[in-house]
């Protein structure tokens, strides 16, 4: 069976987890701080907060930024539902803007039009997504956000190691906190770095960092500098309503070990992307191929075809399990019940009709990829 994505666990990873399991700590031990430090270094940001999954990371971000029932936040319709749900967890209102049909990223011009269509302080935030691993130009989004007094949460789940070149030609890593208040990552097994379940928030903002640390563990602090009094060694204060969004120490140990292979994985992903691109570039029936993009982390390799369902079923019959990323979020029944409907985002909906994510993971062999390509070509009759 060839899936669209899968984890790569080595003996070194297993050893790291076993060592953590044999230590004194299963949760909240030294491995978490180690993982956070290594991840912050890898991304190039000041602070990293490890949490139980990417969705928890998003929720902590909307809480830390004070999203409430009066908040209105814009995100992309082509993303995993969690990018929008994090606003709903805090009772905020989600708005969508259409994607750019070439990059599949949230179209900054559409976001501008939406911002301009309402009074100046109507929206509080924007959640751009580095979709498929393609880095959003956050320098441009920052300018726009500043014009309208909005914060930015970068959903970088698809893009650890991805980057864009800013207007001065400087590489800006996804999640480095240079242009966004907060960024989030997921360590679900289909993402680049696997912890089983796991997530991370990155930021350069110390006060947001302190909020995240507290909210991750019930809103409780044991820091004597932050407490109103101190009854003794046992004493802690719950100062606001938080959650238990902690990751375990053995998951963090796995994350640190996985991180060591992250760059090698990126190189492999890029090679796979190049092979797909070369194989399909002259095929008129395959759309949506724009060459191998610099700074793209290739979490996904997506093609667009007219007979998507038939191709999907054909590949499945050959034990190739492709996937569709994503069903436009505004057309999911939950969001339809909130008043969104089909037909409002032409590019997102058009994209959804033809998109297919092909197998893309570092351990995909040349033979497996050739088989995938052959089956696609056979089906499309070229
Ligand atoms: C995976 C993913 C999430 C959620 O991460 P989990 O760890 O599964 O909770 C959020 N946003 C995007 C874009 C994702 O791909």
């Amino acid at each position: 069976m060839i899936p669209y994505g899968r984890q790569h666990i080595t003996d070194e990873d297993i050893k790291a987890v076993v060592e953590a399991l044999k230590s004194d700590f299963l949760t909240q031990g030294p491995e978490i701080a180690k993982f956070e430090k290594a991840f912050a270094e890898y991304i190039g940001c000041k602070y990293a907060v490890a949490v139980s999954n990417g969705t928890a990371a998003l929720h902590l971000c909307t809480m830390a930024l004070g999203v409430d029932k009066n908040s209105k936040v814009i995100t992309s319709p082509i993303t995993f539902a969690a990018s929008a749900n994090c606003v709903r967890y805090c009772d905020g209102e989600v708005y969508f803007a259409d994607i750019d049909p070439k990059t599949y990223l949230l179209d900054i011009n559409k976001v501008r039009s939406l911002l301009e269509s309402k009074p100046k302080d109507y929206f509080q935030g924007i959640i751009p997504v580095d979709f498929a691993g393609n880095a959003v130009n956050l320098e441009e989004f920052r300018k726009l956000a500043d014009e309208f007094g909005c914060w930015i949460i970068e959903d970088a789940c698809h893009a650890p190691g991805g980057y864009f070149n800013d207007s001065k030609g400087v590489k800006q890593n996804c999640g480095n906190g240079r242009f966004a208040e907060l960024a989030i990552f997921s360590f679900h097994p289909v993402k680049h770095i696997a912890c089983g379940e796991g997530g991370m928030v990155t930021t350069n903002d110390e006060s947001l960092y302190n909020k995240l640390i507290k909210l991750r563990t019930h809103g409780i602090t044991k820091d004597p500098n932050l407490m109103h009094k101190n009854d003794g060694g046992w004493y802690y204060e719950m100062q606001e309503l938080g959650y238990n969004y902690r990751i375990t120490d053995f998951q963090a140990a796995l994350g640190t070990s996985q991180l060591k292979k992250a760059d090698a994985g990126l190189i492999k992903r890029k090679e796979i992307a190049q092979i797909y691109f070369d194989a399909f570039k002259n095929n008129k029936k395959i759309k949506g191929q724009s060459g191998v993009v610099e700074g793209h982390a290739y979490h996904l390799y997506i093609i667009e075809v007219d007979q998507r369902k038939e191709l999907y079923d054909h590949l499945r019959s050959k034990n190739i399990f492709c996937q569709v990323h994503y069903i436009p979020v505004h057309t999911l029944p939950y969001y339809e019940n909130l008043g969104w409907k089909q037909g409002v985002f032409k590019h997102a909906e058009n994209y959804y009709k033809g998109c297919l994510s092909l197998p893309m993971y570092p351990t995909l062999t040349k033979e497996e990829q050739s088989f995938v390509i052959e089956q696609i070509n056979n089906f499309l009759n070229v």
Side-chain angles (χ1 to χ4, degrees):
M1 177 195 134
I2 305 176
Y4 83 91
R6 64 163 296 157
Q7 72 277 16
H8 175 36
I9 303 292
T10 62
D11 288 343
E12 199 187 4
D13 292 332
I14 293 168
K15 201 164 149 258
V17 174
V18 169
E19 270 167 30
L21 286 172
K22 287 180 178 166
S23 78
D24 290 338
F25 303 94
L26 287 189
T27 188
Q28 297 270 80
E31 290 298 333
I32 293 175
K34 219 156 95 185
F35 183 33
E36 289 172 338
K37 186 160 175 285
F39 195 80
E41 263 163 34
Y42 180 68
I43 297 296
C45 63
K46 272 196 190 151
Y47 306 104
V49 180
V51 294
S52 47
N53 56 67
T55 305
L58 281 163
H59 187 193
L60 286 183
C61 288
T62 49
M63 274 197 287
L65 289 164
V67 172
D68 62 20
K69 65 181 195 313
N70 300 312
S71 305
K72 294 168 183 72
V73 178
I74 303 167
T75 191
S76 173
I78 297 299
T79 184
F80 184 54
S83 314
N85 295 349
C86 63
V87 176
R88 297 296 305 134
Y89 295 151
C90 296
D91 292 326
E93 209 177 321
V94 182
Y95 281 70
F96 301 95
D98 208 353
I99 58 164
D100 176 327
K102 286 216 170 64
T103 62
Y104 311 145
L105 301 176
L106 185 60
D107 184 339
I108 193 165
N109 297 314
K110 298 281 163 58
V111 176
R112 173 175 284 285
S113 307
L114 178 57
L115 288 164
E116 284 174 349
S117 72
K118 304 279 184 187
K120 196 128 189 171
D121 55 359
Y122 191 81
F123 292 100
Q124 278 67 52
I126 308 171
I127 307 179
V129 182
D130 299 311
F131 177 69
N134 200 3
V136 170
N137 186 325
L138 283 182
E139 186 183 26
E140 287 175 3
F141 268 95
R142 181 76 265 165
K143 280 186 218 148
L144 181 64
D146 284 347
E147 243 182 89
F148 290 86
C150 289
W151 46 252
I152 297 174
I153 300 171
E154 177 187 9
D155 184 336
C157 281
H158 296 181
Y163 64 87
F164 72 96
N165 294 310
D166 71 12
S167 57
K168 295 193 182 78
V170 178
K171 264 191 199 179
Q172 298 290 348
N173 287 346
C174 295
N176 73 359
R178 171 73 181 75
F179 301 106
E181 278 76 358
L182 296 159
I184 71 107
F185 295 87
S186 163
F187 307 126
H188 182 279
V190 298
K191 312 287 162 83
H192 291 214
I193 295 160
C195 289
E197 297 281 356
M200 192 78 83
V201 185
T202 57
T203 185
N204 291 336
D205 184 315
E206 190 183 356
S207 82
L208 285 173
Y209 170 71
N210 288 328
K211 279 188 197 170
L212 295 167
I213 289 289
K214 212 193 317 180
L215 290 168
R216 163 175 75 176
T217 181
H218 310 280
I220 285 176
T221 186
K222 287 180 188 168
D223 182 346
N225 299 317
L226 301 175
M227 298 192 303
H228 298 94
K229 57 173 190 160
N230 195 347
D231 292 347
W234 65 88
Y235 189 72
Y236 58 81
E237 278 181 2
M238 185 196 139
Q239 299 180 331
E240 56 193 308
L241 188 61
Y243 292 81
N244 178 355
Y245 280 165
R246 296 185 303 259
I247 193 169
T248 65
D249 227 41
F250 52 95
Q251 287 172 306
L254 179 55
T256 306
S257 180
Q258 286 262 297
L259 197 54
K260 293 180 190 147
K261 291 184 290 286
D263 281 335
L266 276 177
I267 291 168
K268 205 71 222 284
R269 287 172 185 274
K270 227 166 212 172
E271 283 171 12
I272 291 167
Q274 188 69 55
I275 291 170
Y276 279 134
F277 179 73
D278 291 340
F280 298 136
K281 68 184 170 203
N282 296 320
N283 189 335
K284 297 259 178 323
K285 291 181 180 164
I286 296 178
K287 293 164 287 173
Q289 284 216 116
S290 47
V292 174
V293 178
E294 196 203 334
H296 197 307
Y298 287 102
H299 167 56
L300 302 173
Y301 192 90
I302 299 166
I303 58 169
E304 290 179 70
V305 290
D306 288 335
Q307 297 167 280
R308 194 264 313 279
K309 185 172 185 309
E310 293 79 2
L311 177 58
Y312 172 92
D313 289 340
H314 170 75
L315 293 172
R316 225 178 138 126
S317 75
K318 303 288 175 190
N319 265 338
I320 300 166
F321 289 76
C322 292
Q323 189 49 284
V324 167
H325 297 94
Y326 291 93
I327 304 162
V329 179
H330 68 286
T331 68
L332 297 171
Y334 172 78
Y335 284 96
E336 285 197 332
N337 288 337
L338 293 174
W340 291 94
K341 32 179 169 316
Q342 193 103 23
V344 283
F345 302 118
K346 187 178 78 192
H347 295 310
E349 290 166 28
N350 208 33
Y351 160 81
Y352 171 60
K353 279 186 201 145
C355 68
L356 193 63
S357 304
L358 305 184
M360 167 57 90
Y361 48 93
T363 55
L364 182 71
T365 65
K366 288 240 158 54
E367 294 70 35
E368 287 168 332
Q369 191 178 9
S370 298
F371 179 65
V372 173
I373 291 167
E374 186 187 304
Q375 288 305 322
I376 292 172
N377 282 336
N378 280 355
F379 178 80
L380 295 173
N381 261 334
V382 287

